[in-house]
Structures are given as structure tokens and as C-alpha cells.
């Protein structure tokens, strides 16, 4: 039956989330340090749904338990999601999948993920200036109006599509977006939407060390991180402070 996420996340010391966790497990098998689940585990959160499929856990009583699952994301409300984490406001829905997610000692070692606004999205697509700045750090570059005089004072912008993918292999996240660019990068966010001004964000590189990405996302809300893409396993680099 549904479990309230606000109580669960508070108990674990995580950011408080609204929504519920519920699931149907027709068969749970435990054999030779292996747990397998027939059925889907459904998480109702941010106005949408996250579904864990074909969940398998091995060596679960060892020092290095191993977990494998496929994740489907449906119709998350970006407004609820971004406001929860103080990222800056983004309006629209988010969906996608994380294929062949593998954890060892509860840390990701490989997966192929892509999350994007659906083609038939019914919500308007707007993004705040704060969210543009944070996504620009994530993409290591922006091509839009923020550096163009008075346009940098506008609080929000329209966009067409938003999408970000990561294929994690050997500790490196290989990035992709809505579309590629002639320079070898990718478009993280495209121009479009109902009302001007429009914004576009481009990624300047196509790979980043996984730990660098994690370190940067953890600090991005403070605005003191510059991502270095295509530099192997270096860490996120704090900005130099003005005197």
C-alpha cells in the first residue's frame, strides 16, 4: 500500500519529497544470496511515476551487494522537481528511462540514461534565469540571450525541448542531449515555446568524470562550480572569488 514519501525521506535525512511509494510484487525469491522480484515497484512522486522493473539483488549480505534494474520515468512535473531542490524553476514534464542500471555497494557503476520533455507535453515550457545558469554549468556552455545586455535581466524564458543523457562506462559519463551540434557538442535545451524571449543551451563537450559530475551537482545551488568537460577524472573546480 502507498507509503508517504515525506515521512520516509525525513527518516533517512534526505530532501523532503511529496508523493508516495507503492508496488505490486507477485513473487519475491530469495535464494543463495540472490533476491529477485517479479513485478514492478512504482514510485509516485513529483506528479508523475518512476517504475523499477526486473529488479535483481545479488550478494546482498556481503560487503559489496550488487543491484540491477531498469527504470522508467513518466510525466514528472519539472516545476515540482526543480522547486524541491532549489535549482531554479523549470516548467514542463519530464520522462525517459535508465536502462541496465547496475550498482555495486549501492554506487552506480554503469547505466544508459536519457531524460527529456515528451514530444506531446501539455504543459508550457518556461525556464527561470537561475535554472538557465545552472543548466549552462552542467552543459559547460550556453548559446542564448543571457549575455546580451537587457535580456539578461528577464526572469524567465521560453524553450522548446529539454533533454540530457548519460552513458556511464568505467567512471566516465558520456553526455548527449536533444540533438548534436556541428562542433561535436550537444543541445541540452532548444529554442521554442509559445512566448519570447527564447533560450538555447549547448553542451561544449561530450564526456565528464562521474565523480566530477556528482561533486558539481552537489555544489551547483551555491553557484560556485565550473564544470570541466572532456578532462578525464578531474574534480569540479570552484570559481575564483573576486577580491
Amino acid at each position: 500500500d502507498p507509503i508517504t514519501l515525506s515521512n520516509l525521506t525525513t527518516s533517512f535525512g534526505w530532501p523532503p519529497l511529496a508523493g508516495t511509494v507503492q508496488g505490486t510484487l507477485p513473487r519475491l525469491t530469495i535464494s543463495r544470496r540472490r533476491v529477485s522480484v517479479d513485478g514492478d515497484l512504482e514510485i509516485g512522486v513529483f506528479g508523475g511515476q518512476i517504475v523499477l522493473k526486473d529488479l535483481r539483488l545479488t550478494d546482498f549480505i556481503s560487503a559489496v551487494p550488487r543491484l540491477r534494474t531498469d527504470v522508467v520515468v513518466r510525466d514528472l512535473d519539472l516545476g515540482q522537481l526543480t522547486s524541491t531542490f532549489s535549482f531554479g524553476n523549470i516548467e514542463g514534464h519530464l520522462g525517459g528511462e535508465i536502462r541496465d542500471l547496475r550498482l555495486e555497494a549501492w554506487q552506480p557503476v554503469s547505466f544508459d540514461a536519457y531524460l527529456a520533455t515528451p514530444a506531446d507535453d501539455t504543459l508550457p515550457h518556461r525556464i527561470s534565469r537561475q535554472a538557465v545558469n545552472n543548466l549552462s554549468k552542467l552543459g559547460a556552455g550556453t548559446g542564448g540571450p543571457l549575455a546580451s545586455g537587457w535580456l539578461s535581466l528577464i526572469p524567465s524564458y521560453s524553450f522548446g525541448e529539454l533533454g540530457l543523457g548519460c552513458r556511464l562506462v568505467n567512471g566516465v559519463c558520456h553526455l548527449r542531449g536533444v540533438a548534436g551540434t556541428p562542433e561535436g557538442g550537444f543541445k541540452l535545451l532548444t529554442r521554442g515555446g509559445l512566448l519570447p524571449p527564447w533560450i538555447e543551451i549547448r553542451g561544449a563537450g561530450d564526456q565528464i568524470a562521474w565523480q566530477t559530475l556528482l561533486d558539481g551537482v552537489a555544489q551547483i545551488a551555491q553557484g560556485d562550480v565550473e564544470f570541466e568537460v572532456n578532462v578525464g577524472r578531474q574534480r569540479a573546480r570552484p570559481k575564483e572569488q573576486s577580491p
Side-chain angles (χ1 to χ4, degrees), residues 58-195:
T58 57
D59 297 325
F60 62 92
I61 59 174
S62 72
V64 186
R66 293 175 172 85
L67 182 145
R68 182 206 172 277
T69 188
D70 294 313
V71 182
V72 177
V73 178
R74 301 188 183 116
D75 293 327
L76 300 191
D77 187 321
L78 278 168
Q80 295 183 36
L81 175 63
T82 54
S83 64
T84 298
F85 294 99
S86 301
F87 185 82
N89 187 60
I90 305 176
E91 297 178 35
H93 282 122
L94 186 72
E97 59 182 354
I98 306 172
R99 296 196 301 269
D100 200 18
L101 172 62
R102 296 177 183 267
L103 308 181
E104 292 184 2
W106 309 114
Q107 299 299 315
V109 294
S110 66
F111 61 77
D112 189 359
Y114 185 71
L115 300 175
T117 49
D120 58 352
D121 197 358
T122 57
L123 291 180
H125 288 179
R126 300 288 295 182
I127 182 169
S128 70
R129 185 169 66 245
Q130 178 186 355
V132 167
N133 290 334
N134 285 332
L135 280 179
S136 298
K137 296 170 189 172
L138 192 61
T142 180
L146 291 190
S148 304
W150 63 272
L151 287 174
S152 64
L153 304 177
I154 295 176
S156 67
Y157 305 83
S158 289
F159 69 91
E161 297 178 75
L162 183 155
L164 179 64
C166 169
R167 182 170 59 88
L168 180 61
V169 180
N170 295 327
V172 176
C173 180
H174 299 265
L175 299 168
R176 64 187 185 276
V178 176
T181 64
E183 300 80 14
F186 60 91
K187 293 183 179 181
L188 178 60
L189 185 138
T190 64
R191 296 173 184 263
L194 297 177
L195 299 172

Side-chain angles (χ1 to χ4, degrees), residues 20-56:
T20 60
V21 178
Q22 60 188 15
T24 301
L25 308 176
R27 178 178 298 170
L28 175 67
T29 304
I30 303 176
S31 175
R32 296 180 181 179
R33 298 195 303 176
R34 175 186 175 92
V35 178
S36 59
V37 174
D38 294 337
D40 298 339
L41 181 62
E42 301 175 3
I43 304 172
V45 64
F46 303 126
Q49 189 179 56
I50 299 173
V51 183
L52 306 182
K53 294 177 172 289
D54 194 25
L55 182 65
R56 298 290 183 269

